[in-house]
Amino acid sequence: MAATRYRRFLKLCEEWPVEETKRQRDLGVFLRQRVAQAFREGENTPIADPEACDQMYESLVRIHTNYYKNKYPRLKDTNFTGVTVEDCKMILSTDILKQMEDMKKGTWRKLREKFYAKKPEEDSK
């Protein structure tokens, strides 16, 4: 039975999309890592709690198939701010978040990072 569960999780990982805009923060990548950890021995991995494993699989399938989005359709594809789904995806991309983080840095810190060869953390060592 562990082999069947393993194959189901592998199939789900194959179907789950990876968003390139969310490097190191993507749910698809995280899911693949967790499946690899949980099934280290592949089909021969013993499963301590089969019910919990099945429940987790079913929950992930509901997320992947947009079960609740389809069950409870929304009138508009915006949120309370009026921002569209495409705008939210763009705002949450890794590149935009990095740019925002750079904007938060003070002028002194930016200058210090620009002109010093070493990082400030290395100075304290």
Side-chain angles (χ1 to χ4, degrees), residues 78-118:
T78 60
N79 57 23
F80 72 97
T81 62
V83 178
T84 64
V85 174
E86 292 80 24
D87 291 340
C88 286
K89 286 183 179 182
M90 183 191 70
I91 291 168
L92 293 174
S93 72
T94 302
D95 295 335
I96 298 295
L97 290 175
K98 180 158 178 35
Q99 288 177 3
M100 290 174 63
E101 187 65 33
D102 290 342
M103 288 173 38
K104 287 182 185 177
K105 292 181 182 176
T107 306
W108 182 249
R109 188 175 199 180
K110 287 180 192 175
L111 288 172
R112 191 168 57 179
E113 287 177 358
K114 186 174 183 177
F115 292 111
Y116 279 127
K118 297 187 291 184

Side-chain angles (χ1 to χ4, degrees), residues 1-4 6-7 10 39-47:
M1 198 66 176
T4 306
Y6 176 66
R7 283 190 224 113
L10 280 183
F39 292 97
R40 289 188 180 162
E41 298 174 24
E43 294 181 353
N44 299 325
T45 303
I47 298 175

Side-chain angles (χ1 to χ4, degrees), residues 6-37:
Y6 176 66
R7 283 190 224 113
R8 288 190 325 176
F9 272 101
L10 280 183
K11 188 174 186 303
L12 181 64
C13 287
E14 289 174 5
E15 293 175 0
W16 202 288
V18 175
E19 286 192 48
E20 296 298 326
T21 60
K22 294 183 180 177
R23 292 181 296 275
Q24 299 174 351
R25 301 179 305 115
D26 182 50
L27 185 58
V29 173
F30 179 76
L31 175 64
R32 287 167 178 80
Q33 291 171 348
R34 290 295 303 229
V35 168
Q37 283 177 344

